[in-house]
Amino acid sequence: MSVPNLAMWCASAVASAWKGSQLVRLPDDKGLRVITACSALVFLALTAQLAAGSDSAARMPSDQLPKLFQNVVLTFFFALLIMLLQSMVDSEALGSHGPVEVVIACATSCGLIVAFAAADTNAAGFSYESANSTAALLFYLIGNLYMAYATMRGAKLARRAADQAQSRVRLSLLVAGAGLVVCCLGTHVPRIVSTSSRLVFQRDAIPGTATWTTPVLAIGIAVFFLGIGYPGARTGLVKARLWFRDRQRYRQLWPLWSALYNAFPDIALLPPTSPTRDALRVRHMRLHFYRRVIECRDGLVCASPYLDDEPTNSGSSTHRLRAALHRSLTSKPSAAVSVVAEPTESGMEADIDQLLELSRRLSAE
């Protein structure tokens, strides 16, 4: 089991699981369904590739059977991918080009099956690096011919689709297309030349393709998946940044919120949790943060009838608030209403900034 093969398998497993989780949330997204199917097909193909190199393969009727399965699955993966990209470039042309891609994939699969059946697959000479029989060489030639066609056509369609797409999707398609070009020129074209020369001239025109093309293929697949995953990864990074910011501000509001809640328990929109559980809160951070903002502002409204008439300034607002909270336990509210932490500008963020500043001063005292 080589490191590049294992790296490709891990990348495809992550991509397949990620797209599957997105499909669960958005089951009606047709484009996402196709991308998820493509990712799953790549995962199955690379799983078969690992199985072909494992010890368990020796117990199969042919220890090269997973290799046939891998190549057949990849043909249908690229047929789906090309059809998806064609729909993005020209949806009207999909009706004429789509069946052609299916026919090419089926013809390639049939050719692979026939060559596989004719070859002595249990012989040591069936592996790519040591293949010497006509049937074995044809098997690899057919597979690489189709892969060269599919990767180059996929890269061309990805480029055309990028020209019609918005900025983030454009970059994603360009990166994915670049990965397909790397696979085509760095792996499949050299292997076509190698197998053709071995088949016709009984010598290898490009020695060592079994060794150096595999890492190049791994790089191309990694770049391809990077392109596919870029929009989702970028969205995930933005969401992570917002989560950390909301969590930080949620914790910063704790001194103000706890002081107001102790005086006015009715401000809690939901039953409060323990400080330990509150500190370990992870899910729905934005919802909990804005709920705490609302509760803090409600608490200040409840405290406003107990405030004295001392002018508000940065040095006295916390003192006035603490005095008001203490007064609320023993005195009746007055008719006058004062405001603490009044925003100087309109908007939710200005209000949040004033609450955070007040909470920080309470915590510092």
Side-chain angles (χ1 to χ4, degrees):
M1 184 184 298
S2 66
V3 174
N5 289 339
L6 183 60
M8 288 188 288
W9 182 85
C10 290
S12 68
V14 172
S16 181
W18 181 21
K19 292 301 175 183
S21 66
Q22 290 180 327
L23 187 61
V24 170
R25 297 193 298 270
L26 300 170
D28 297 328
D29 191 327
K30 294 181 180 180
L32 183 59
R33 271 186 273 177
V34 176
I35 293 175
T36 303
C38 289
S39 301
L41 287 173
V42 172
F43 174 69
L44 287 174
L46 294 178
T47 300
Q49 179 175 315
L50 288 183
S54 67
D55 295 337
S56 61
R59 296 191 291 271
M60 298 181 180
S62 169
D63 57 2
Q64 302 295 336
L65 193 60
K67 189 170 292 184
L68 172 65
F69 177 76
Q70 172 200 1
N71 283 272
V72 170
V73 168
L74 282 176
T75 61
F76 289 101
F77 157 74
F78 276 102
L80 276 175
L81 178 64
I82 292 172
M83 291 169 65
L84 172 63
L85 293 172
Q86 184 67 60
S87 68
M88 296 174 66
V89 172
D90 185 0
S91 58
E92 294 182 357
L94 180 62
S96 58
H97 289 285
V100 173
E101 296 300 333
V102 174
V103 170
I104 294 174
C106 289
T108 302
S109 298
C110 290
L112 290 169
I113 292 171
V114 170
F116 184 86
D120 184 3
T121 56
N122 289 316
F126 186 78
S127 63
Y128 173 78
E129 59 271 16
S130 59
N132 49 30
S133 68
T134 301
L137 289 171
L138 279 174
F139 176 82
Y140 291 107
L141 180 60
I142 292 171
N144 282 291
L145 280 171
Y146 177 79
M147 293 297 292
Y149 156 77
T151 51
M152 189 52 67
R153 177 159 173 75
K156 182 179 179 180
L157 289 172
R159 178 58 185 267
R160 290 177 58 190
D163 293 337
Q164 305 174 13
Q166 297 177 352
S167 58
R168 278 183 286 178
V169 178
R170 171 182 166 81
L171 180 59
S172 173
L173 289 168
L174 288 175
V175 173
L180 293 177
V181 171
V182 171
C183 291
C184 179
L185 300 181
T187 298
H188 302 302
V189 170
R191 289 188 176 188
I192 290 172
V193 175
S194 174
T195 51
S196 297
S197 63
R198 288 153 66 186
L199 185 63
V200 177
F201 303 108
Q202 286 75 49
R203 65 183 183 85
D204 195 344
I206 307 179
T209 52
T211 303
W212 59 266
T213 57
T214 299
V216 175
L217 181 63
I219 293 172
I221 291 178
V223 173
F224 172 75
F225 277 118
L226 179 64
I228 288 180
Y230 169 75
R234 187 180 186 279
T235 301
L237 290 174
V238 171
K239 287 183 176 180
R241 181 177 62 83
L242 292 175
W243 183 90
F244 280 109
R245 188 191 69 169
D246 290 339
R247 176 175 173 77
Q248 180 184 32
R249 298 198 295 180
Y250 176 80
R251 297 295 299 157
Q252 288 174 348
L253 284 177
W254 170 260
L256 176 60
W257 180 88
S258 59
L260 293 170
Y261 173 75
N262 289 332
F264 309 105
D266 291 339
I267 66 171
L269 300 176
L270 295 173
T273 58
S274 66
T276 301
R277 185 174 180 181
D278 187 76
L280 298 176
R281 192 182 298 280
V282 175
R283 299 184 61 191
H284 308 299
M285 203 68 247
R286 171 150 288 204
L287 173 65
H288 290 295
F289 167 63
Y290 281 109
R291 190 196 75 186
R292 177 159 288 182
V293 169
I294 293 171
E295 291 174 348
C296 286
R297 186 52 72 182
D298 287 346
L300 292 177
V301 170
C302 294
S304 62
Y306 300 97
L307 291 169
D308 55 32
D309 296 330
E310 181 183 346
T312 302
N313 55 63
S314 60
S316 64
S317 57
T318 54
H319 174 74
R320 291 182 67 214
L321 179 59
R322 289 192 183 277
L325 295 178
H326 179 74
R327 200 176 295 119
S328 68
L329 301 176
T330 57
S331 306
K332 293 182 179 180
S334 63
V337 175
S338 300
V339 179
V340 175
E342 181 178 3
T344 57
E345 300 176 1
S346 61
M348 187 72 170
E349 285 301 315
D351 192 23
I352 291 173
D353 289 342
Q354 291 295 325
L355 293 176
L356 288 170
E357 180 62 26
L358 180 59
S359 185
R360 282 191 287 266
R361 290 202 297 265
L362 281 173
S363 177
E365 290 184 354

